[in-house]
Amino acid sequence: MPGKYNSLSSTREKGAALILVLAGLLSLSVVVLRAGEKTAVTSREMSMLLLEYKASVMAREGIKTGLNLFAMHQEQAEELGFQPIVWSDQGLYISIIPCASKINIGAATETQAVGERFRQAIYNLLTTQGLSLNEMNSLLYWIGASEPMGPHNDFSVLQLSDALPFQPPERIPDRPEELKLVPGLENISASWISSKLTVWSAYHAIDINTASQTIVLAVLPELEHYWDQISRLRQSQSITHPNELLNRVGLDMATYTTVLPYISFQPEYFEMTVEVRQGAWMEKHRIILKAHLMDHDTAPEIVARDVLEAGKI
């Protein structure tokens, strides 16, 4: 009997030791798994940082490439007119268009007939996004337009938490995307705003060669009857002289004299977009160029530069 008792005690001791060993192995496994997970996360983060760095380097090179493309294009633009530049190569995409292919927000601050025409054009565009006259009034008050389409809204009651009473800047924004700050315009996408509106270029001129039908007819509804002729002509060549509107498009003299002040034939400001894709990372840069109309040998001036998008795709 005593021998049998000792054997049972030994078995229990061995079982307890085995449990302790298993518990230790389990704890060690958890530590190893957590360390492995942390290493994997760190590795992914480092990989993404490397892609971001490569994209940044490629974007800088893309801007240089875009400037070279623009310089070569300008040599023939005065004679043949400017056509949009589209270029791509292994994850790098470059486009250059005149800023006047969009509506300049500043035109809404003009007085009398000019301001009325562009306020109505912007309003027509905004209605396609489901906005009303009330939101248009908000926009006009925001940018300090002198002749709104209706009575001003009272923004003095709006507050930003416990800060001072909110007041619109009453100036033309530095970037078109700032319009998302206007009460009522928060839900419009920044990409839609930047595709239709600008803050660069002549206030009240639209580039007849590159502006979309929507933009041209929003500003110049008088051209709706002539749009097919205009479209065919600018697909074959640029319209470089006002007389072409009379001789080749067939505008009547009354329409011609009405629309001519609002048409640009030789743009001065250009928007260059440089999009870079490196693996799962994408960046989209915008560079605004001011060309020297009388001296194409002089490099254009970069008047604005920002990053429109950057992140994982």
Side-chain angles (χ1 to χ4, degrees):
M1 291 297 291
K4 185 176 181 180
Y5 175 79
N6 291 336
S7 176
L8 179 60
S9 175
S10 175
T11 300
R12 288 176 176 174
E13 290 176 357
K14 291 179 180 179
L18 181 60
I19 291 174
L20 289 175
V21 170
L22 291 175
L25 290 176
L26 180 60
S27 299
L28 181 61
S29 298
V30 171
V31 171
V32 171
L33 287 174
R34 288 180 176 175
E37 181 181 0
K38 184 176 182 180
T39 301
V41 170
T42 302
S43 177
R44 286 196 297 269
E45 290 176 349
M46 292 300 295
S47 177
M48 194 58 64
L49 285 173
L50 180 60
L51 290 177
E52 183 179 355
Y53 172 75
K54 288 182 177 179
S56 178
V57 172
M58 183 180 286
R60 289 197 295 270
E61 292 302 315
I63 292 173
K64 294 179 182 178
T65 299
L67 291 173
N68 291 333
L69 291 171
F70 182 77
M72 291 186 293
H73 199 78
Q74 280 295 90
E75 294 178 1
Q76 59 182 7
E78 185 172 1
E79 179 181 353
L80 303 177
F82 184 89
Q83 290 295 325
I85 298 173
V86 179
W87 185 91
S88 64
D89 180 48
Q90 298 182 353
L92 178 63
Y93 308 88
I94 300 172
S95 68
I96 306 177
I97 60 172
C99 292
S101 62
K102 307 172 185 179
I103 296 178
N104 194 316
I105 299 167
T109 64
E110 297 282 343
T111 58
Q112 299 179 349
V114 175
E116 290 175 5
R117 178 179 289 270
F118 279 89
R119 286 193 288 271
Q120 187 63 51
I122 294 174
Y123 176 60
N124 291 342
L125 291 177
L126 290 177
T127 56
T128 66
Q129 301 301 298
L131 300 183
S132 66
L133 183 61
N134 189 52
E135 281 84 31
M136 184 64 188
N137 287 333
S138 299
L139 169 59
L140 295 175
Y141 185 50
W142 184 272
I143 63 176
S146 56
E147 294 183 16
M149 299 176 67
H152 286 317
N153 289 323
D154 184 8
F155 291 96
S156 61
V157 298
L158 295 179
Q159 301 283 332
L160 291 178
S161 64
D162 296 326
L164 294 174
F166 177 72
Q167 292 293 334
E170 297 188 11
R171 60 165 178 79
I172 300 168
D174 295 323
R175 298 291 189 275
E177 294 81 11
E178 290 179 33
L179 293 190
K180 286 181 64 65
L181 298 174
V182 178
L185 275 67
E186 306 93 334
N187 295 326
I188 300 181
S189 71
S191 60
W192 184 91
I193 291 174
S194 60
S195 70
K196 299 292 188 297
L197 304 171
T198 186
V199 295
W200 300 281
S201 78
Y203 274 5
H204 53 266
I206 295 296
D207 189 82
I208 192 65
N209 291 299
T210 58
S212 67
Q213 179 180 358
T214 299
I215 296 296
V216 172
L217 297 185
V219 177
L220 302 171
E222 296 90 345
L223 293 181
E224 183 172 9
H225 177 71
Y226 302 94
W227 181 253
D228 289 341
Q229 297 95 305
I230 293 173
S231 180
R232 283 194 296 268
L233 180 57
R234 70 181 201 168
Q235 285 175 12
S236 60
Q237 66 179 73
S238 295
I239 303 173
T240 59
H241 196 277
N243 286 345
E244 294 182 53
L245 296 175
L246 289 172
N247 302 329
R248 306 197 64 179
V249 176
L251 263 63
D252 62 87
M253 186 57 67
T255 301
Y256 174 78
T257 55
T258 299
V259 303
L260 188 59
Y262 308 108
I263 295 179
S264 169
F265 298 93
Q266 192 174 12
E268 182 179 11
Y269 289 88
F270 297 84
E271 180 178 311
M272 176 167 68
T273 302
V274 176
E275 182 175 322
V276 174
R277 293 177 181 266
Q278 278 287 320
W281 186 267
M282 185 274 287
E283 291 186 3
K284 187 175 183 180
H285 297 247
R286 176 175 60 194
I287 301 91
I288 304 300
L289 306 173
K290 181 181 180 182
H292 297 274
L293 298 179
M294 306 304 295
D295 184 9
H296 295 317
D297 293 331
T298 302
E301 177 186 356
I302 296 180
V303 298
R305 176 176 174 176
D306 47 17
V307 179
L308 298 179
E309 297 179 53
K312 293 189 290 185
I313 55 177

